Amino acid sequence: MSGKSHSEDPDHWGPATQAVRGGMTRSPFGETAEALFLTQSFVYDSAEAANARFAGEDPGYIYSRYANPTVKMFEDRLALIEGAEYCRSTASGMGAIFTALSGLVRAGDHILASRALFGSCRWLLTEYFPRFGVETSVVDGPDLTQWEQGFRPNTKAVLIESPANPLLEVVDVAAICALAHAAGAKVIVDNVFATPIFQKPLTLGADIVVYSATKHIDGQGRVMGGAILGAHQLLEDSYRDILRHTGPALSPFNAWVLLKGLETLELRVRRQTETAAALADQIALSPHVRATRYPTRKDHPQHEVAMRQMTGGSTLVAFDFGTRDKAWAFLDALQIIDISNNLGDAKSMAVHPPTTTHRAMSEADRLQIGLTEGWVRLSVGLEDLGDLSRDIDRALHAI
Ligand SMILES: *Cc1c(COP(=O)(O)O)cnc(C)c1O
């Protein structure tokens, strides 16, 4: 390694310093930017050195399915930003969620989750885990009585998302963690909508935090990635072997892109959220809009819980036009904001969830999470507020 050696503990750095310097290791060339170690494997000075590496006596790298220096820099930096002891990354957010769940359960166990879940998570619970003898069930996330009654003697894992996709439903993370721990279950929180900037589930009692790094962490529409964060021992015991032997490894190239994304994560998320809050207020005033969902607005159904556990709003806003025709007319009239299912991007994007991201759900299931035909989800980007505001105004008038 090259460059100044410092004795300062990065755990004590402020978040901005952690975001640009956390996890950085320099090669002997002394590069300023993080190096991209695009290599599959590693070489050893001798047969004896290879033996020591494989025996775990020498901590160096072996193979990039196990670990890679660029990937490690991304993991260490994200762990610092999250305030987590340890981080392991995956090739996508779903890779992180699947790994996180599968490491906690065996045949005969039960997974309990909130009903408003990302579509692929629902598939894991309803279609996939039951194939291997794992029971699953869902409850209405904000209803603590349903949670109390939902635990079974064999419940080992809880999966929640807050705010949840697409209507920004908020669940009481601390209360659910307390119930889960009393029942002997571990809690996984999908923190994509809140980002590490506005919510720290580990401090609320969660055992594991998962991210789709594809969203705000990249934030510029380029690569897929995922992360699992929590206590070092728990992650080692639950996931080390699964990650090694099932192969969801994050590509070093993608890790490098995400690592650079982390440098500007806070700046982007704060700016996007400021703009989103202003647009939410503008949209709520339209006579075409029957309901607006934004965590820091007083009319959010779980506003108080949101304010207790989050330090900011969200880059996403959801609003209900009442009918699909009006929702589609709004989307089709937008000239700057793209129609896209992605979120957390520098470019603003809007989508009609009932016919896209949530079309695989039955109508009955959609109604249970309140997703009627008129909802639009807007992911606010980094464009000028004035331009986005004008675009939305134009689209509202076109309805
Ligand atoms: C996108 C997303 C995922 C899945 O992440 P991928 O990177 O697309 O696999 C999971 N949860 C939430 C809330 C998401 O927005």
Side-chain angles (χ1 to χ4, degrees):
M1 300 300 144
S2 186
K4 242 182 346 189
S5 68
H6 58 70
S7 54
E8 279 214 23
D9 180 357
D11 283 325
H12 297 146
W13 287 344
T17 310
Q18 288 174 337
V20 295
R21 292 187 176 274
M24 170 109 189
T25 51
R26 286 200 169 99
S27 82
F29 294 115
E31 63 280 359
T32 48
E34 295 75 0
L36 170 50
F37 291 96
L38 205 53
T39 180
Q40 296 165 342
S41 196
F42 300 84
V43 298
Y44 316 98
D45 290 340
S46 65
E48 177 52 37
N51 172 62
R53 194 75 57 88
F54 274 75
E57 291 152 13
D58 167 13
Y61 293 94
I62 294 174
Y63 192 50
S64 286
R65 169 148 48 77
Y66 301 176
N68 169 283
T70 306
V71 174
K72 176 82 175 132
M73 283 193 263
F74 166 66
E75 292 170 339
D76 288 351
R77 183 168 293 176
L78 182 57
L80 279 170
I81 292 171
E82 186 69 32
E85 247 176 55
Y86 200 51
C87 171
R88 290 304 309 270
S89 57
T90 53
S92 70
M94 281 319 302
I97 294 170
F98 176 61
T99 303
L101 280 170
S102 60
L104 297 181
V105 294
R106 307 187 140 52
D109 289 344
H110 171 241
I111 301 172
L112 184 59
S114 51
R115 197 183 300 281
L117 282 178
F118 190 71
S120 298
C121 297
R122 288 184 69 88
W123 181 84
L124 285 180
L125 296 184
T126 57
E127 303 292 329
Y128 196 67
F129 277 106
R131 291 183 199 173
F132 301 95
V134 174
E135 299 170 22
T136 68
S137 59
V138 294
V139 295
D140 290 339
D143 186 344
L144 288 176
T145 313
Q146 284 193 29
W147 280 104
E148 277 167 25
Q149 292 164 356
F151 287 96
R152 302 177 188 173
N154 56 342
T155 307
K156 290 286 159 47
V158 167
L159 175 63
I160 51 182
E161 202 185 304
S162 186
N165 191 25
L167 301 186
L168 292 110
E169 176 186 278
V170 169
V171 301
D172 189 334
V173 177
I176 294 166
C177 289
L179 290 171
H181 293 155
K186 296 232 173 340
V187 179
I188 302 165
V189 178
D190 181 336
N191 206 37
V192 164
F193 272 46
T195 80
I197 308 307
F198 293 140
Q199 182 167 268
K200 295 282 202 308
L202 297 174
T203 67
L204 298 167
D207 301 284
I208 288 160
V209 175
V210 288
Y211 286 107
S212 164
T214 313
K215 308 297 167 52
H216 303 85
I217 292 176
D218 178 339
Q220 290 146 88
R222 300 163 297 187
V223 302
M224 312 284 299
I228 306 173
L229 298 110
H232 187 259
Q233 198 63 46
L234 175 64
L235 263 65
E236 280 293 275
D237 293 349
S238 306
Y239 305 126
R240 177 179 179 272
D241 291 345
I242 295 181
L243 289 166
R244 279 190 167 215
H245 304 307
T246 70
L250 178 63
S251 135
F253 178 80
N254 291 3
W256 182 82
V257 173
L258 296 169
L259 181 60
K260 302 309 278 180
L262 286 177
E263 295 188 346
T264 55
L265 176 68
E266 179 173 10
L267 295 174
R268 288 183 285 106
V269 166
R270 285 197 192 281
R271 169 63 78 88
Q272 287 169 245
T273 301
E274 231 173 77
T275 309
L279 294 176
D281 290 342
Q282 174 190 342
I283 290 163
L285 291 176
S286 165
H288 293 296
V289 172
R290 293 159 129 211
T292 305
R293 290 287 153 78
Y294 193 72
T296 57
R297 280 179 58 86
K298 289 215 171 61
D299 58 0
H300 187 288
Q302 298 92 32
H303 173 68
E304 273 168 37
V305 180
M307 292 302 88
R308 213 184 315 137
Q309 65 191 20
M310 296 174 71
T311 55
S314 173
T315 65
L316 290 120
V317 189
F319 38 98
D320 180 15
F321 288 111
T323 68
R324 169 172 136 173
D325 284 351
K326 283 188 173 185
W328 281 21
F330 172 83
L331 290 172
D332 290 343
L334 292 167
Q335 289 183 17
I336 295 174
I337 299 168
D338 293 306
I339 300 175
S340 174
N341 48 285
N342 206 8
L343 62 93
D345 200 276
K347 294 178 174 62
S348 295
M349 294 164 181
V351 72
H352 181 240
T355 49
T356 57
T357 55
H358 289 66
R359 69 172 300 137
M361 280 173 95
S362 70
E363 200 186 338
D365 284 348
R366 279 202 298 271
L367 290 180
Q368 275 194 303
I369 62 162
L371 184 58
T372 43
E373 287 287 296
W375 285 94
V376 166
R377 186 195 74 194
L378 171 66
S379 170
V380 178
L382 284 170
E383 301 94 337
D384 287 295
L385 171 60
D387 292 331
L388 295 177
S389 173
R390 219 175 39 253
D391 201 25
I392 286 171
D393 224 28
R394 174 170 45 224
L396 288 170
H397 279 103
I399 293 175

